[in-house]
Amino acid sequence: MTPDEGPGGAPGRPLLPQLRLDDLLTELQTRLETARATRDRVHALLEAVVSIGGELDLATVLRRITEAATALADARYGALGVISEERERLVEFVTVGVGQEEIEAIGHWPHGHGLLGLLIKEPHALRLPDIAAHPASYGFPANHPPMRSFLGVPIRVRDQVFGNLYLTEKNGGAEFDEDDETVVGALATAAGVAIENARLYEETRRRERWLEASAEISTALLSGTDSMRVTELVTRRARESADAALATVALADEMTGEFTIIAADGEGAERLRGLRVPIEGSLAGPVYETGEPCRRADGRSAAERAKALDPDRVGPILLVPLGLGDSARGVISVINPPGGRVFDEVAERLLQTYAAQAAVALELAERRLDAERLVLFEDRDRIAKDLHDTVIQRLFATAMTLMSAIKITQKPDVAQRVQRAVDDLDDTIRQIRSTIFALQSGPDDLSLRGRLHEVVDASAENLGFAPSVRLDGLLDTAVDEAVGEQLLAVVQEALSNVSRHARAGEAAVVIDVGDELVLRVQDDGVGVPANGRRSGLANMAARAESLGGSFTVEGRATGGTVLTWRVPLHD
């Protein structure tokens, strides 16, 4: 009988050395489950890649990457930290698995110290069974959820590390294994492509927004919109296009050495408008002087030095010059609150281009305004010459004819009527001459005549009506500066008295300049009360006496009051 034969020489069953059939079936089932799990994981990875690759909004892409990595590694918590351009800290932190209440309890996101900082400095995959056991671990802040196991994988975009994926607390209490690292690493590779596409799309959209803003500003200026409103539009569109919380435009005054914030838009803008900040020592000073932009991830210290912005509201900040060289005007700044989005290099370039275009547009608008003013002045000068050379001469000739008619008339009543007509013509000639002087002085004229009109115009708001003005004589040449200052003060005081006490419906300011300066301010009000306060009248009388003149207050026959202020004029 051979070894393979059974009793009676029949063939026997082959022996399976040291393995039982149940063990083989168990091994086969395990391998099948492993293969199925691997297949499911690959399918999940492909679905995640397709999901993140089909989205172009960067914030959404980052969120989906974090969610996909957390699911693929079967982790309880996941996060994606975006690294700053300086490669020193985290500027954005996207989380999965942490509730809003837990976020508020923690108070702030990590800045990239400790173990997270190690991954920034050494961008390689890192697996740990216990975070606290690693030498680089800083521990967790108060109210932070407990975390033990850890997996970190870098995300690269064009060979540059964009950020890191952080996964903690694998479900079931197990540790992250090599398979977890492999699948998350594969996701990170695909994520780099998706992030690059989203960034390119976002940059294109941002460029479109800046171009739209520039076109809107140019259109507003060319359509004749007031330059101040255009400046406000520049500020608002800068904030919107930069996705900032606050934007300001500050113009420099080298005479005073200060910036004036003429426009602000966003959070806290109301208290900033009109604020003055010294150029020297401010963050905007070097930007204005050198033409180089300034970008800070944290502008709190600069805000504390400038004492203009609330430091607690200042985080990332970007400043660019408004114009360059001789055409430099000031600075445009955009600001985000602490913890807000940091302005990147792309935002800097776009805002700088936008500011340069805005400065050119404002410069062209000013030149257009100057041209319009020149045309206006030329037209006013032509009208003044026509009034002087034609109208006044004809009125004067008519008055002379009437004067000669008085001599030959025999009836007293006719002579009186003709005399009244002559007086009316003389008064009309004076008014026309006053109008000619007003036409020949521009709206920004700093002469005594121009300043007098400013005082009278300013009183209209309190009076409720515009007083009439008649000037006769060489006011600007015959009246020196000292007397002119006193005259302006008296006119202002007199019109102030009318607005406060007279209850008048009309008022007139009449000035005659000859051997003496005579000012008359008259109204149709209730007159000066007998027991009223006279401090204002006393002031006007004192001013006249200090110049060797006189001051009187009289009632008018038709109702109201006439104030007469006289001072001699010396050659």
Side-chain angles (χ1 to χ4, degrees), residues 184-405:
V184 174
L187 177 68
T189 301
V193 177
I195 290 171
E196 177 65 8
N197 291 338
R199 289 171 70 179
L200 291 174
Y201 176 77
E202 184 180 76
E203 183 174 340
T204 302
R205 291 293 302 141
R206 288 163 72 181
R207 289 184 184 278
E208 289 179 358
R209 290 199 301 268
W210 286 114
L211 289 174
E212 290 172 359
S214 298
E216 185 179 357
I217 291 164
S218 299
T219 302
L221 286 170
L222 292 175
S223 63
T225 304
D226 179 70
S227 60
M228 188 60 219
R229 291 191 176 184
V230 174
T231 304
E232 293 173 352
L233 176 62
V234 168
T235 311
R236 185 175 70 256
R237 296 295 273 141
R239 182 189 63 78
E240 294 172 349
S241 300
D243 195 20
L246 175 66
T248 65
V249 171
L251 298 186
D253 186 346
E254 295 187 354
M255 297 294 293
T256 63
E258 292 180 322
F259 284 115
T260 301
I261 300 177
I262 63 168
D265 185 80
E267 299 175 5
E270 297 77 10
R271 62 184 185 82
L272 293 177
R273 297 187 187 101
L275 194 65
R276 292 181 174 271
V277 181
I279 295 177
E280 186 176 355
S282 67
L283 190 62
V287 176
Y288 168 72
E289 294 168 353
T290 65
E292 295 294 327
C294 176
R295 179 162 47 95
R296 296 276 183 88
D298 186 0
R300 180 185 178 90
S301 60
E304 290 174 345
R305 289 197 305 272
K307 297 181 179 179
L309 301 170
D310 183 357
D312 293 333
R313 297 186 178 183
V314 178
I317 185 170
L318 171 61
L319 303 96
V320 299
L322 184 62
L324 297 173
D326 295 337
S327 63
R329 298 167 170 269
V331 171
I332 295 181
S333 62
V334 290
I335 304 165
N336 272 331
R341 182 175 182 178
V342 176
F343 302 106
D344 56 17
E345 186 179 353
V346 175
E348 178 183 312
R349 292 199 308 269
L350 292 175
L351 182 59
Q352 194 172 9
T353 303
Y354 170 78
Q357 293 174 345
V360 171
L362 290 171
E363 185 75 18
L364 291 175
E366 286 191 1
R367 295 294 175 266
R368 179 178 58 80
L369 184 59
D370 290 342
E372 292 177 352
R373 287 176 176 173
L374 181 60
V375 171
L376 176 62
F377 291 159
E378 290 176 348
D379 199 37
R380 288 160 65 106
D381 189 55
R382 178 187 59 77
I383 294 173
K385 288 180 179 179
D386 290 344
L387 288 174
H388 182 272
D389 296 340
T390 58
V391 177
I392 287 184
Q393 298 303 324
R394 290 184 180 182
L395 291 175
F396 186 75
T398 303
M400 294 297 293
T401 300
L402 292 174
M403 288 294 293
S404 62

Side-chain angles (χ1 to χ4, degrees), residues 524-541:
D524 63 349
V526 297
V528 179
N531 57 351
R533 295 181 60 185
R534 296 178 176 267
S535 56
L537 301 178
N539 290 336
M540 288 184 274

